[in-house]
Amino acid sequence: MDKVTRFFWFCSGAHVDTLKKYPIEHNKYVGIGATIFFTALFASLSGGYAMYFVFNGDAFAVGFAILFGLLWGTAIFNMDRYIVSSINKEGTTNQQIIQASPRILLAIMIGIVISRPLELKVFDKEIRQKLKTAYLKGQHSKIDTLQKTYNEKYTQELAKNTELKKEKDSLEKDINRSRSQLNEEVFGEKSSQTSGIVGYGTYAKQKQTILQEKEDRLKLVTGDAEKMDDYLSRRKEYEGVNAVKMFSSTQLDSLAKIAGFADRNWALGQLTYNENGTRDLDTYLAISFIGYLFILFECLPVFVKLMSPKGPYDVAMAKTHEANVYYAERDKERDITVIDSVYKDHVNEDIKRRKNTLTNRSDNDRDRHRYD
């Protein structure tokens, strides 16, 4: 327990040697340190989970996720530890709040960032279903777009093919009717379209000729329709209409499984809306409360430090700070005094050296002009 306590003291950013002197403060800083540690832990898990989806499908996705999670958690831990330890309890409540306000704003941003990946995990099943629906709609829209483009591009050919098929259907019906009339004529059945004479007579030959002409026309129309069908089929292949198919259930499951962070984040946002575009209040509140929970959790180290009363440790640290500041000022004065003294000695030495130089120069001048 002693090691755990010291570890949480370290996490809180407290000066351990000073804190040891005041047992009444121990639990408070254990709580602050634990809050900072678990905030960093959740940030690490969240960051690693987000990075896993960024590199999803890569052979090193797990390695990248672990590495980024550790780096992200360490960064959040160091930031929380520094800012919480820097809050000065000597000021008034308003001063402390103003001092902590940048940290609170930053905590809100960090809470939003670290909560999003965990929200994606919590609503993973609903997100996958939403992605399947979106992929299916997107594929259907793509097929419709290709089909529309194809229809607009080959309007004349499609119209011609429709006419040929209509003519083919009409000829087939007409041929069946003509063949029935021919049979009635040959067997002597009396009607408004037959003579009633048994045998293959003049009327039967006429009907046979008409029937043959219609059959020949049917063959021609059928051939033209088949050629047009073949041409349009090849055009569909060329335009890619036949290449795009609706996704099967297995394909949708695979696509939803390998979806990236951006797609999953979009799907999570869409979960808060109904099909008719209205707000789904239940889902919206559920997602929002998770985000609010992490924002609150991220702000807890600051709130704990702000709410805790000024204790003996804070007073001791303030006095130590004042003493260190005073020592630094006195140290500065000492250095200035030493520098001034040394500088004065250097000036005196420089003056002596220059006087000697001038004296020696005067003596030399007198010696040089002595016999002039």
Side-chain angles (χ1 to χ4, degrees):
M1 287 299 297
D2 184 59
K3 291 183 178 180
V4 174
T5 299
R6 292 179 64 87
F7 173 72
F8 286 141
W9 285 351
F10 166 77
C11 293
S12 69
H15 190 269
V16 176
D17 291 336
T18 303
L19 185 60
K20 284 181 179 179
K21 301 176 183 179
Y22 308 101
I24 196 174
E25 298 278 70
H26 290 182
N27 289 337
K28 180 174 75 174
Y29 283 90
V30 167
I32 293 174
T35 304
I36 293 174
F37 172 75
F38 286 109
T39 299
L41 179 62
F42 278 112
S44 180
L45 294 174
S46 179
Y49 185 74
M51 189 56 60
Y52 175 77
F53 276 103
V54 172
F55 292 96
N56 194 14
D58 193 288
F60 301 99
V62 176
F64 285 136
I66 293 174
L67 178 61
F68 180 80
L70 291 174
L71 291 175
W72 180 247
T74 302
I76 298 300
F77 170 79
N78 184 65
M79 189 181 305
D80 282 345
R81 183 174 179 270
Y82 167 73
I83 295 178
V84 170
S85 63
S86 65
I87 295 177
N88 184 9
K89 297 295 292 183
E90 288 298 308
T92 63
T93 302
N94 291 335
Q95 289 175 339
Q96 293 181 40
I97 292 174
I98 293 173
Q99 185 183 13
S101 58
R103 172 62 183 89
I104 294 173
L105 293 175
L106 184 61
I108 293 173
M109 296 177 61
I110 294 174
I112 294 172
V113 171
I114 68 175
S115 66
R116 199 62 172 178
L118 296 180
E119 289 171 359
L120 295 176
K121 184 60 178 177
V122 172
F123 293 94
D124 181 66
K125 183 178 179 181
E126 292 79 4
I127 288 173
R128 292 196 181 193
Q129 188 60 42
K130 177 64 71 173
L131 285 173
K132 290 179 185 179
T133 303
Y135 290 151
L136 202 59
K137 288 182 178 178
Q139 191 73 351
H140 194 277
S141 177
K142 184 177 181 180
I143 293 173
D144 288 345
T145 301
L146 287 173
Q147 188 65 48
K148 182 179 179 181
T149 303
Y150 169 79
N151 291 338
E152 292 176 351
K153 193 172 183 179
Y154 299 98
T155 302
Q156 295 181 353
E157 290 83 353
L158 289 169
K160 179 64 176 177
N161 191 39
T162 301
E163 291 177 2
L164 288 173
K165 289 183 177 179
K166 286 182 178 179
E167 184 178 358
K168 178 184 174 184
D169 293 339
S170 178
L171 284 170
E172 287 176 346
K173 293 178 181 178
D174 200 14
I175 287 172
N176 291 333
R177 187 168 54 254
S178 298
R179 187 176 286 115
S180 178
Q181 291 176 1
L182 177 61
N183 291 333
E184 291 175 356
E185 181 66 36
V186 171
F187 291 105
E189 295 181 8
K190 180 64 177 178
S191 68
S192 59
Q193 301 292 331
T194 57
S195 61
I197 302 173
V198 179
Y200 195 76
T202 303
Y203 292 108
K205 290 179 180 179
Q206 290 177 350
K207 292 184 180 297
Q208 179 65 45
T209 302
I210 294 173
L211 177 61
Q212 187 61 46
E213 291 175 353
K214 291 179 179 180
E215 289 178 344
D216 292 339
R217 176 61 184 172
L218 177 61
K219 290 181 181 179
L220 179 63
V221 171
T222 301
D224 291 342
E226 290 175 352
K227 291 179 181 178
M228 185 59 70
D229 282 338
D230 181 64
Y231 171 77
L232 292 174
S233 177
R234 284 185 283 109
R235 289 294 87 189
K236 277 189 175 182
E237 292 290 340
Y238 178 77
E239 298 293 341
V241 177
N242 293 336
V244 182
K245 305 294 183 182
M246 292 301 295
F247 292 129
S248 64
S249 298
T250 304
Q251 289 175 321
L252 287 173
D253 289 337
S254 299
L255 289 171
K257 184 178 181 180
I258 64 173
F261 184 82
D263 285 350
R264 295 175 64 82
N265 187 57
W266 170 86
L268 180 60
Q270 293 301 308
L271 286 177
T272 60
Y273 293 94
N274 295 313
E275 292 294 332
N276 57 7
T278 59
R279 175 76 73 178
D280 186 349
L281 189 59
D282 292 337
T283 306
Y284 174 75
L285 290 176
I287 295 174
S288 299
F289 281 139
I290 293 176
Y292 296 151
L293 176 63
F294 278 93
I295 291 172
L296 177 62
F297 194 74
E298 180 63 26
C299 294
L300 273 180
V302 180
F303 290 158
V304 170
K305 188 67 180 288
L306 289 175
M307 290 185 298
S308 61
K310 183 172 67 173
Y313 170 79
D314 298 308
V315 175
M317 291 303 298
K319 298 301 181 183
T320 302
H321 176 74
E322 291 177 4
N324 288 335
V325 171
Y326 179 76
Y327 181 82
E329 291 176 350
R330 297 295 295 171
D331 202 31
K332 174 186 174 183
E333 293 175 2
R334 184 198 64 187
D335 290 341
I336 291 175
T337 302
V338 171
I339 291 172
D340 288 342
S341 178
V342 171
Y343 186 77
K344 186 180 293 184
D345 290 341
H346 286 172
V347 171
N348 291 334
E349 289 294 329
D350 193 42
I351 291 172
K352 290 180 181 180
R353 188 175 63 255
R354 293 196 180 192
K355 283 182 178 180
N356 290 334
T357 301
L358 292 174
T359 302
N360 292 335
R361 182 179 297 175
S362 298
D363 292 341
N364 289 334
D365 289 341
R366 285 197 301 269
D367 291 338
R368 191 175 59 183
H369 297 291
R370 180 176 297 173
Y371 301 101
D372 291 348

